[in-house]
Each structure stands twice: as C-alpha cells, then as structure tokens.
Amino acid sequence: MKYIFVTGGVVSSLGKGLAASSLGTLLELRGLRVIMQKFDPYLNIDPGTMNPYEHGEVYVLDDGAETDLDLGHYERFTHTNLSKLNNLTSGQVYQSVLDKERAGKYQGRTVQVIPHVTNEIKARIQAVADTMGGDVIITEIGGTVGDIEGLPFLEAIRQFAHESGPGNVLFIHATLVPYIKAAQELKTKPTQQSIAKLREIGIAPHIILCRTEHPLDLDVREKISLFGNVPIEDVIEVRDVKHSIYEVPLKLHEERLDDVVCKQLKLETPQPDLTKWRHFVQRVIHPTHHVRIGVVGKYIELQDAYKSIYEALTHAGAANDTKVDIVRVDAESIEKAGPEIYLNGLQGILIPGGFGDRGTEGKIAATGYARTAGIPFFGICLGMQIAVIEFARNVCGLKDATSTEFDKGTANPVISMMEEQKKIKQLGGTMRLGTWVTDLKPGTKAHQLYQADTIKERHRHRYEVNEDYKDQFEAAGMVISGISPKGDLTEMIELPNHPHFVACQFHPEFLSKPNNPHPLFNGFVKAALAHHHVPEALS
Ligand code: GLN
C-alpha cells in the first residue's frame, strides 16, 4: 500500500480536491485500486449541521455519512466506494480521544495533542487501509498550511511518513502562482514561503502543483524547483481549465503528473487509457444541442450549494450531446415578482433540496407554473415535498396545505414528521440518512426511466409525505410511483397528464457519474430537449 498526502498552501479554494480526484482518475486508469479520503481540520463532527453559506453542499454517502463536498468529486472521478471512514474531522478526532479519556483508556496519563490526537489520526489512515485494501490511498488535508487547526493533521502525516519508511509516502503540495499584472510576471514567492512553512513542520513536499492562470515558463519552473528542492519534472502546472472541471485529469496527464507519482512510489503501471474520458470531455465542451434549465433555490448565488445537481445535469447533458445551460433563479425573487418573468422560456424547472421556510412560497409558485404550463419538472427531496404541497393546494383544494417544517400547527400537514423522528432531540446525524430501498410501480415514468423494479438511493431528510393524504392525492391524479418496501413512505411521485413531472424524496444527484448519468437526470434532460428543440449549439 502506498500513501499520497495532498496539502494546500497560499490560499484556499485552489482546487486541491479536484487535483486529488484527478490524480485518482489517472492512477485508476493505470490499473491501480485507489482509495480517497479527506481530513477536515474544523471542530464540527461533520458538516451535516452547517449552513450552505459556511460549507456549500453536504454530500451524503451510502452509509449515511454527511461529508465534505470533495467526497462528491472523489466518487465522480474514481470508483472508490466511500464510507464514513473516508472523511475525518478534528471534531471526530477529539470526540474519540475524549471518550477514551472518560473511559480511563489512557491509564492515568496526561492526554495531549502529541501523541494522543496524532495517534488517533494515524489510526484512521490505518483503518482505511485495513478495511478498504487497494494499492494507493490519496488523503487530502483540508485548509491551508499555516492554519493553527491543521497542525495536528500535518504532524500526524509527518509521523506516518517517518514510520512507513522511504518510497511509500508521497507529499504533494498545491499552491498558487499568482500573475501580477503591473509586472506582467508570475510570482513564485508565495509558493516558496508556503513550502518553507511545510518544511518547518518537518514535511518536504515531493511534488508541487502550481495553480496558475498563465503557463509556467521554464524559468518559473526552475525557480520553484530550486527553492522547493524538487527536480524540475516534479513542478506541475495546473492551469485554469477553460470549459469544464473534467478537463483537469487530461491536463495533469499532459504535465506527466501520473508518471512522476508512479516513478516516485515505484509503481510499475502502463500508461492510462484516457479515450473514454476524452470522449466525455468532448461531449461536455462541444455538444450539438442546447437546453435551458432553471434551478429554483434559495442558495442560488453560491457556487457550491447545489454542486452535485449541477454536475449530474452536466453528465446527463453529455449523454444527450447537449449543453445544459443552468439558469439560477432565486426563490425569493419569484415571491416578489411572480414566476412568469423568471421562468418563461425555460425548457425545464428543477427544485432542489433545502431546509427551512425561506423561499418556499416562491418554489411552490414555480412548481405550479411548471405543472400548469406543461414545462418538464424535476423535484428533489424538498423539491418533491414542494410539489406535493402545490398539488394539495391547487389541485385538491386544500388551500392551507403545507409541511409541519414550515408551520407546526397547520390544519393540513401534507408533509409531516414520522413518529420516530419526533422523539429525536439531537440535530446532528439524525435525519433519514443514506441508502434506502424504493419499489417502483410498473407502468410509471419512474419505472421506465430506471428499467428496474427496485432501486437504492441516498436520503437526507426528516419529513415525509403524510400517509393520511395519499388516497386523496391519487384520486386527484397524482401517481405515487416509488414507495418504501414496507409501503409506508412515498419515495417518488409523478403526474401522468403532464409531459414530464417527476419528483423524488431522495437525492439522485449523488449517484451520477461522468460516463454513467443518473436515469432521472437523463430523463429530465431528454424531456427538456423535447420541450422546445433548439437545433444549434449556442456556445
Ligand atoms: N427539509 C426537508 C426535510 O428535512 C427536505 C430536506 C432536503 O431537501 N434534503 O425533510
């Protein structure tokens, strides 16, 4: 087993997660079994209770772990099957250390960052290696070198490398090489200083990934090589990609990153076959068709809040030789000005997941607009709950219908909490989480899209469609197309008298892959294409 640790310097948002994932893609295509994991230095146990403004999307795994969105990149770029083992936060580390202290496991000793906290971190690397096997583990350390809270993780990986012996561990450091316009020059000083900072803690990077807007000329590479104390071939340019994040593995391969990694770790592997990946990227960059889809949410201005949904739309677009233009619509603007001016002319409307009542009336109006105008509609999690509320109000005539999440005392709680959920007091990690089975009803659009009787999808919600209203909904024309095996939980709904009105209680976006788009996204993009066919690519 070989270990690669990816650290970041100079600034955050360098694309470290994407670089790590792309290296994962390349090593997999060289025939290696790659495991990916992320260490996050913050004190939350997981990002599950964090606001999207703080953290972006919360990514959910099969086992119900609520994780950093970089794990979404890992799953999209590689075939690793991730579990809660693969995302470790300082909060988890300290919780485990303190539990052991209370249980008397430290036998009267003073409990300290070194060795107790660092041992806990090293034990996690070992646990992943032992349970998951594989040839290479790529571990990304969140944050930036120099952050106080990241120090225990860096010290732990330093010790880990020392104990593993030479040739088994590789440190990759990602930095920024900024371009200073006035001087018309790329500047290497921040990179030099960031490497010096790493050295202070005893880590000498083997490979330096240089994020840059401009090509790294030979003299810049030489300088980084000299001050970074690495051969020039280990200075890797990571230039901003023009069109798509899926270009990154191709760029890194051109820079021979996978060659130098394999050479340094003495891994004898063939060159990767990038044909399929290249085809996928070609379809993303140069599609024939074009479709405009509105996403109506309340975190629309954030790049990362609906990350997996945007990626899933890209995958489905590529499969249909189509560029999906995402029109981000703020639900609260719809509340002020009505849906027409924002949604008119769109070929599809998607309502993503969400929490709390801000913007819900705007989402309900958008859903009503899609339903009555026959615009293809896709509701995800809260999006399905919104579709049910809109149907209850405007088709079944239950004018005050809503979810008890928004109004506890409503007379028509068409979305409500399950009895088991009502007993729960703790907020973190207590929703209906992870993989649950859904039975699909034959003859429905859902069944036709999945081509399966039973499916497994990932969940993250507390509220459910209230069983007491199901008969009334079905009598009014709603089809419950997906249901839990026990028959009590509504997992999917659709409207048969509409060109495409499909919603699900789970999060299909977490299972979409570049060359294997999710059937629900695929069906939605196809329906949007059929809604108004725009023959020419506009991009
Ligand atoms: N807020 C809703 C619930 O808890 C929906 C959650 C979501 O969209 N992920 O049930």
Side-chain angles (χ1 to χ4, degrees):
M1 177 86 72
K2 305 282 184 178
Y3 303 87
I4 299 173
F5 294 101
V6 183
T7 55
V10 186
V11 290
S12 58
S13 306
L14 267 179
K16 209 176 358 135
L18 268 177
S21 309
S22 301
L23 175 60
T25 309
L26 294 172
L27 296 183
E28 258 193 9
L29 290 173
R30 281 174 166 259
L32 296 168
R33 248 204 84 211
V34 177
I35 310 291
M36 311 272 316
Q37 69 172 341
K38 173 100 194 259
F39 289 168
D40 279 309
Y42 52 72
L43 284 170
N44 303 61
I45 299 292
D46 62 39
T49 55
M50 278 194 235
N51 187 315
Y53 287 109
E54 289 286 315
H55 193 269
E57 170 184 273
V58 174
Y59 190 79
V60 182
L61 303 177
D62 279 340
D63 66 353
E66 298 172 274
T67 71
D68 187 84
L69 56 80
D70 276 319
L71 278 84
H73 290 312
Y74 304 164
E75 286 201 331
R76 288 187 281 270
F77 278 71
T78 70
H79 292 87
T80 346
N81 219 345
L82 302 173
S83 75
K84 55 163 96 61
L85 274 183
N86 302 81
N87 191 188
L88 180 68
T89 67
S90 289
Q92 290 170 29
V93 173
Y94 281 102
Q95 190 177 48
S96 164
V97 168
L98 294 177
D99 284 349
K100 285 184 186 157
E101 187 272 338
R102 290 291 83 181
K105 296 256 169 70
Y106 296 116
Q107 290 156 344
R109 277 194 292 271
T110 308
V111 181
Q112 293 177 301
V113 171
I114 303 170
H116 302 103
V117 167
T118 46
N119 280 353
E120 199 68 34
I121 297 168
K122 286 189 287 178
R124 176 60 74 93
I125 306 170
Q126 206 51 57
V128 167
D130 293 346
T131 50
M132 300 184 76
D135 303 310
V136 184
I137 298 187
I138 302 177
T139 306
E140 179 191 348
I141 319 292
T144 306
V145 169
D147 295 347
I148 291 175
E149 56 184 9
L151 281 174
F153 286 100
L154 296 175
E155 169 60 15
I157 62 176
R158 183 198 68 74
Q159 291 176 13
F160 189 88
H162 172 74
E163 288 156 7
S164 304
N168 292 317
V169 174
L170 202 63
F171 290 114
I172 299 184
H173 189 53
T175 74
L176 178 73
V177 182
Y179 181 75
I180 302 298
K181 244 199 198 141
Q184 298 198 346
E185 258 181 39
L186 285 171
K187 292 293 185 187
T188 64
K189 191 75 78 192
T191 297
Q192 294 176 35
Q193 288 180 343
S194 169
I195 294 168
K197 194 100 208 136
L198 256 187
R199 280 217 209 94
E200 258 173 44
I201 8 183
I203 295 175
H206 302 94
I207 292 175
I208 300 164
L209 298 183
C210 304
R211 179 77 189 267
T212 167
E213 286 174 38
H214 295 272
L216 287 190
D217 293 336
L218 188 61
D219 57 330
V220 177
R221 287 181 196 248
E222 278 171 350
K223 221 170 180 180
I224 296 172
S225 152
L226 180 68
F227 288 103
N229 204 23
V230 299
I232 194 155
E233 63 169 12
D234 296 339
V235 177
I236 306 285
E237 171 191 295
V238 190
R239 194 141 32 109
D240 293 2
V241 285
K242 275 208 194 84
H243 308 280
S244 160
I245 54 170
Y246 299 103
E247 292 174 78
V248 177
L250 302 177
K251 293 278 176 215
L252 292 179
H253 179 64
E254 277 169 29
E255 281 284 305
R256 302 172 43 104
L257 174 66
D258 48 318
D259 275 341
V260 295
V261 165
C262 289
K263 190 169 140 200
Q264 296 231 23
L265 288 175
K266 299 192 180 57
L267 291 164
E268 299 218 348
T269 55
Q271 285 295 315
D273 180 0
L274 289 162
T275 322
K276 279 194 190 147
W277 197 271
R278 271 189 226 286
H279 279 159
F280 168 72
V281 171
Q282 275 310 306
R283 284 196 310 271
V284 172
I285 301 178
H286 301 296
T288 314
H289 311 291
H290 181 267
V291 87
R292 286 179 79 225
I293 286 178
V295 176
V296 183
K298 70 173 175 180
Y299 301 111
I300 244 34
E301 72 284 10
L302 296 179
Q303 197 62 28
D304 284 347
Y306 307 114
K307 182 131 222 136
S308 294
I309 290 186
Y310 297 151
E311 295 309 321
L313 284 170
T314 302
H315 305 160
N320 290 284
D321 196 9
T322 296
K323 170 153 196 311
V324 179
D325 246 354
I326 295 165
V327 181
R328 300 165 189 224
V329 184
D330 175 23
E332 283 180 293
S333 315
I334 293 184
E335 288 174 8
K336 290 183 201 119
E340 176 82 34
I341 56 164
Y342 296 103
L343 307 180
N344 186 16
L346 295 178
Q347 291 156 272
I349 292 172
L350 188 154
I351 314 275
F355 295 84
D357 69 348
R358 184 167 67 82
T360 46
E361 290 303 322
K363 292 177 195 171
I364 292 170
T367 305
Y369 184 80
R371 182 177 58 77
T372 50
I375 303 170
F377 173 87
F378 188 13
I380 294 177
C381 205
L382 178 70
M384 181 179 103
Q385 299 174 356
I386 292 284
V388 168
I389 295 169
E390 196 280 326
F391 190 87
R393 286 186 189 175
N394 300 325
V395 180
C396 302
L398 307 169
K399 289 291 167 217
D400 54 356
T402 190
S403 162
T404 53
E405 182 178 4
F406 317 138
D407 178 4
K408 281 206 167 49
T410 174
N412 280 303
V414 291
I415 306 294
S416 64
M417 219 185 250
M418 302 269 293
E419 283 309 312
E420 302 110 73
Q421 277 288 339
K422 287 185 191 157
K423 291 179 219 140
I424 293 171
K425 294 273 178 297
Q426 288 246 59
L427 212 59
T430 55
M431 285 187 251
R432 177 146 85 99
L433 287 167
T435 295
W436 292 72
V437 173
T438 292
D439 292 337
L440 298 178
K441 196 176 199 166
T444 59
K445 190 158 265 170
H447 193 272
Q448 182 199 328
L449 291 174
Y450 276 102
Q451 299 278 314
D453 297 331
T454 324
I455 53 162
K456 282 182 183 167
E457 292 279 1
R458 296 180 187 174
H459 291 242
R460 180 173 185 253
H461 56 102
R462 230 177 268 287
Y463 296 84
E464 309 280 349
V465 175
N466 186 339
E467 274 206 90
D468 298 342
Y469 290 89
K470 279 186 195 165
D471 292 345
Q472 207 173 335
F473 294 154
E474 285 180 321
M478 179 189 284
V479 168
I480 297 179
S481 46
I483 195 137
S484 60
K486 270 207 246 152
D488 52 347
L489 304 172
T490 299
E491 305 284 31
M492 289 192 75
I493 62 156
E494 60 192 59
L495 299 180
N497 62 356
H498 186 284
H500 186 96
F501 194 103
V502 175
C504 52
Q505 186 57 76
F506 44 79
H507 288 274
E509 68 272 26
F510 297 143
L511 295 185
S512 179
K513 305 263 183 196
N515 270 316
N516 192 10
H518 191 283
L520 294 183
F521 280 89
N522 205 9
F524 178 54
V525 167
K526 276 194 189 348
L529 264 173
H531 185 61
H532 286 300
H533 200 74
V534 183
E536 289 285 284
L538 299 181
S539 57

